[in-house]
Amino acid sequence: MYLSKLPINTLKEVPADAEVVSHQLMLRAGLIRRLASGLYTWLPLGRRVLHKVERIIREEMDRAGALEISMPVVQPAELWQESTRWDAYGPELLRIKDRHQRDFCLGPTHEEVVTDIARNELKSYRQLPVNYYQIGTKFRDEIRPRFGVMRAREFVMKDAYSFHLDEESLLEGYRVMREAYKRIFDRLGLEYRIVQADTGAIGGSRSEEFQVLAASGEDVIAYCDEDGFAGNVEIVDLPPPNTPRPAPSESMTLVETPGVGSIEALASFLGVPPEKCLKTLLVRGTESPAVALYLRGDHELNAVKAQRLPGVATPLTMLRPAEVEALGSVAGFIGPVGLDIPAYVDQYAVPLADFVCGANRADYHYRGVNWDRDVKLPEVADLRNAVAGDPSPGGGGKLSIARGIEVGQIFQLGDKYSRAMGATVLDAEGKPRIMQMGCYGIGVTRVVAAAIEQNHDERGIIWPDPIAPFDVIVIPINMDKSEQVRKATEETYAKLRDAGFEALVDDRPQRPGFKFADADLIGIPHRVVISDKGLDEGRCEYKSRRSPDVEMVPLDSISEVIAARRRG
Ligand code: ATP
Ligand code: MG
């Protein structure tokens, strides 16, 4: 491909609304353009990358014996009512009506549709196991679309669904998919961890996520190198603390704290550490308008754990300031003293003595508060996120914490959908048996962003070879003036293509420096520069995007040079 025929519109400036580096670089390199919140067009360079990611995924799914299908994006409400998710899924499900006023939704995932296929197509145990997969568009009306294609509303997912006669076969199918996923992410050149995960809105019993390690990741993962445990922090249960509560030594006093509405501000205003403060969160209840959750000031609420508590509404919803006032308190100054509503206290806030908490009055806190003496100790629960140094659930050491980007998740669903939707086959005795299911997702578009998060420098993207939009960029110097350069460029282009490389020739009339900057920004792994000076010695200049070194190599052997430098 000649760049004169591929309009690229690279940007020098960092786009103001792009917070993470992958989003910035995808816009700057012209891979994507924003249409509206969470909606992106993939331009030619970006689409090429996406194709390569899809190809690797498809090859490995096929190798694992999965069968490709293609299901509609628009799905009838009836199927979602059968599975009971029409009500349970919440506002992320974009619901639409057709001209006959019938209800439909845009598929955020395809368990219902595929289970409908399976119950119609699969009749006998002899046909099992079957794994259907597709690569296609999903729509989720995300509350906070951000980071470009990383958390979009419309995105591409590879989703697979396996059907089995019994649990043993499901476990084997899950194992095969887990291996296929490892091959996929290895081939994509990503550094990742497999972690235990919450099953969320999809459901099922066991689940694991594939997390690409990156500081910008939205997920927090906890792991222990000594005992091999790795889990999304959402699911890490903590043992009770073994510290006794000291006896009270202060009396409870009201203190004025004007405008001090956060734990950090409070701690510095009063000169006490955050771990001596009590944090109060008010969430919506199922039996009551609100439930109070108390945590140590330096700890963070774990939403998955909180949602499991009796009386707490799912999805976890914080009260708005007006609702806090209706309970007789003030946002930023909430505390347990005099707040008569159902409550839970995190087990690590139980040993607090002489603590600081909100006084349910604007600009006031209490100091020297003690459980039992000043306020009744509520029901104790495990409410907080694990932090570095907490004991590992694996039992072998302490946890470390890292951030990750969830690029894939696999689930043992069991019979959640097959039972609700009556998906059965006849077993060897001729009796109907409810099928066991697994499901397996990969965020195809998110993988592209994750790859950039792990592979870039200050000049731009550094594509791993297997997913680069082109393998090689050929930059001729003075092609319009030198017949020799023009001829050598065309010959090199043909030779590279014959050797199986996808080459891009920068035949634009711009200065060399401009072209080098673009080549670095769009991240083509191998660069070849053709100039009169080199040609006089039968050579060209070779540079890998990953290395600062420039080498002069014989023009004849350029394909071999690149083949030797390729990774993956
Ligand atoms: P998340 O926790 O990030 O919202 P999820 O657990 O809801 O994701 P799954 O239902 O497991 O997502 O979907 C499978 C894969 O699809 C995820 O592992 C992720 O890589 C990708 N994905 C999910 N939501 C989005 C999104 N809004 N934009 C881009 N990719 C997404
Ligand atoms: Mg997931």
Side-chain angles (χ1 to χ4, degrees):
M1 172 82 67
Y2 281 78
L3 256 181
S4 58
K5 302 204 166 46
L6 168 61
I8 59 167
N9 191 10
T10 51
L11 313 172
K12 272 218 166 61
E13 305 298 322
V14 176
D17 57 339
E19 297 163 62
V20 295
V21 82
S22 57
H23 188 196
Q24 294 167 359
L25 288 174
M26 289 181 84
L27 291 170
R28 287 187 54 210
L31 305 183
I32 55 166
R33 292 288 179 247
R34 180 181 180 276
L35 175 65
S37 171
L39 304 179
Y40 290 87
T41 297
W42 287 77
L43 293 177
L45 279 183
R47 186 60 247 191
R48 290 180 72 95
V49 177
L50 206 50
H51 265 303
K52 296 204 171 170
V53 175
E54 289 173 3
R55 190 198 301 157
I56 290 174
I57 294 173
R58 196 171 267 120
E59 281 174 13
E60 294 301 333
M61 292 303 290
D62 292 345
R63 179 205 290 265
L67 308 170
E68 186 164 3
I69 61 171
S70 192
M71 293 178 273
V73 173
V74 177
Q75 310 182 3
E78 288 75 26
L79 287 180
W80 286 73
Q81 281 150 357
E82 269 191 73
S83 74
T84 73
R85 282 206 296 185
W86 185 254
D87 294 324
Y89 210 91
E92 250 184 49
L93 187 66
L94 187 68
R95 294 150 216 254
I96 50 174
K97 281 190 195 295
D98 73 0
R99 63 168 77 205
H100 307 294
Q101 299 306 305
R102 290 194 198 108
D103 286 317
F104 289 85
C105 64
L106 294 188
T109 176
H110 279 69
E111 283 80 11
E112 282 79 1
V113 177
V114 81
T115 306
D116 182 56
I117 299 287
R119 70 179 166 187
N120 294 322
E121 300 300 318
L122 305 173
K123 311 277 185 211
S124 155
Y125 74 98
R126 285 197 201 87
Q127 294 170 300
L128 300 184
V130 166
N131 186 330
Y132 290 124
Y133 82 95
Q134 64 172 355
I135 297 180
T137 298
K138 296 281 183 274
F139 193 95
R140 294 184 182 180
D141 205 355
E142 296 275 355
I143 186 164
R144 264 189 89 196
R146 58 185 189 150
F147 304 159
V149 299
M150 196 99 89
R151 183 164 298 284
R153 294 198 295 167
E154 187 174 315
F155 59 96
V156 177
M157 195 200 286
K158 185 288 298 172
D159 45 331
Y161 308 86
S162 64
F163 294 87
H164 309 267
L165 183 66
D166 53 27
E167 204 182 322
E168 195 188 335
S169 166
L170 166 58
L171 297 187
E172 174 58 13
Y174 183 90
R175 189 193 64 75
V176 169
M177 276 296 110
R178 196 176 189 271
E179 289 306 307
Y181 272 42
K182 289 203 303 210
R183 291 183 60 91
I184 290 168
F185 294 117
D186 287 342
R187 281 183 65 185
L188 290 169
L190 295 170
E191 206 195 315
Y192 63 95
R193 248 178 205 274
I194 306 176
V195 307
Q196 293 177 32
D198 180 46
T199 52
I202 308 285
S205 52
R206 177 166 180 222
S207 178
E208 288 166 294
E209 289 167 347
F210 288 71
Q211 294 276 356
V212 162
L213 304 175
S216 61
E218 287 186 290
D219 285 20
V220 178
I221 59 184
Y223 62 94
C224 174
D225 286 331
E226 289 106 84
D227 65 16
F229 173 84
N232 190 311
V233 89
E234 288 175 350
I235 57 100
V236 178
D237 292 329
L238 292 168
N242 49 16
T243 33
R245 186 190 316 147
S249 65
E250 295 174 23
S251 55
M252 184 170 95
T253 46
L254 190 66
V255 285
E256 199 174 352
T257 50
V260 179
S262 71
I263 294 285
E264 298 72 52
L266 180 67
S268 74
F269 183 83
L270 293 178
V272 295
E275 56 266 32
K276 291 277 288 181
C277 301
L278 187 79
K279 187 191 281 189
T280 306
L281 300 165
L282 296 183
V283 299
R284 198 149 294 158
T286 50
E287 329 276 72
S288 57
V291 176
L293 306 173
Y294 302 115
L295 294 139
R296 227 169 70 178
D298 58 328
H299 287 152
E300 263 178 43
L301 179 69
N302 179 311
V304 171
K305 292 180 186 179
Q307 279 173 183
R308 281 201 302 246
L309 298 170
V312 171
T314 303
L316 194 73
T317 313
M318 297 291 157
L319 294 202
R320 292 190 299 268
E323 294 169 312
V324 175
E325 265 165 52
L327 291 169
S329 188
V330 184
F333 301 91
I334 317 170
V337 182
L339 191 69
D340 191 18
I341 57 171
Y344 291 96
V345 60
D346 177 63
Q347 50 188 356
Y348 284 80
V350 175
L352 285 179
D354 302 322
F355 58 83
V356 176
C357 63
N360 299 313
R361 198 176 140 184
D363 300 334
Y364 283 91
H365 281 82
Y366 285 116
R367 308 187 64 137
V369 184
N370 284 275
W371 295 121
D372 296 332
R373 187 191 72 180
D374 306 315
V375 58
K376 190 170 152 282
L377 186 73
E379 192 169 330
V380 180
D382 177 9
L383 283 183
R384 71 166 173 93
N385 280 336
V387 295
D390 275 331
S392 164
K398 288 190 186 330
L399 290 174
S400 300
I401 299 287
R403 297 198 79 91
I405 301 168
E406 180 198 324
V407 287
Q409 187 167 8
I410 55 179
F411 300 78
Q412 290 169 17
L413 287 176
D415 64 3
K416 174 173 170 175
Y417 297 91
S418 44
R419 182 175 292 276
M421 297 179 62
T424 59
V425 289
L426 296 181
D427 67 13
E429 273 84 56
K431 288 208 207 68
R433 281 259 289 265
I434 293 172
M435 287 185 274
Q436 293 283 314
M437 285 174 65
C439 80
Y440 319 91
I442 293 181
V444 181
T445 37
R446 187 182 282 182
V447 158
V448 177
I452 297 173
E453 289 293 328
Q454 280 192 343
N455 296 281
H456 67 269
D457 63 12
E458 64 295 339
R459 285 171 294 143
I461 302 168
I462 309 176
W463 289 112
D465 279 296
I467 59 171
F470 289 90
D471 302 311
V472 195
I473 185 158
V474 179
I475 301 180
I477 309 285
N478 271 335
M479 182 160 103
D480 47 343
K481 300 212 182 73
S482 164
E483 180 59 20
Q484 175 181 231
V485 169
R486 194 185 57 75
K487 213 166 136 259
T489 300
E490 281 164 10
E491 281 168 14
T492 305
Y493 178 57
K495 219 183 295 164
L496 286 168
R497 278 181 42 159
D498 289 346
F501 292 113
E502 293 171 353
L504 187 63
V505 178
D506 194 349
D507 59 337
R508 298 175 300 173
Q510 267 83 1
R511 287 175 299 103
F514 177 91
K515 296 183 182 186
F516 293 154
D518 266 2
D520 282 346
L521 176 59
I522 62 180
I524 310 300
H526 307 278
R527 188 184 84 185
V528 175
V529 179
I530 296 179
S531 65
D532 277 318
K533 203 166 143 233
L535 288 177
D536 291 344
E537 302 163 7
R539 288 165 186 261
C540 63
E541 184 192 295
Y542 167 80
K543 185 182 168 299
S544 156
R545 178 68 181 85
R546 283 189 188 272
S547 138
D549 307 329
V550 177
E551 301 169 53
M552 291 307 290
V553 301
L555 188 62
D556 286 348
S557 64
I558 189 62
S559 299
E560 291 74 36
V561 169
I562 293 168
R565 306 293 196 283
R566 253 185 89 91
R567 294 204 227 155

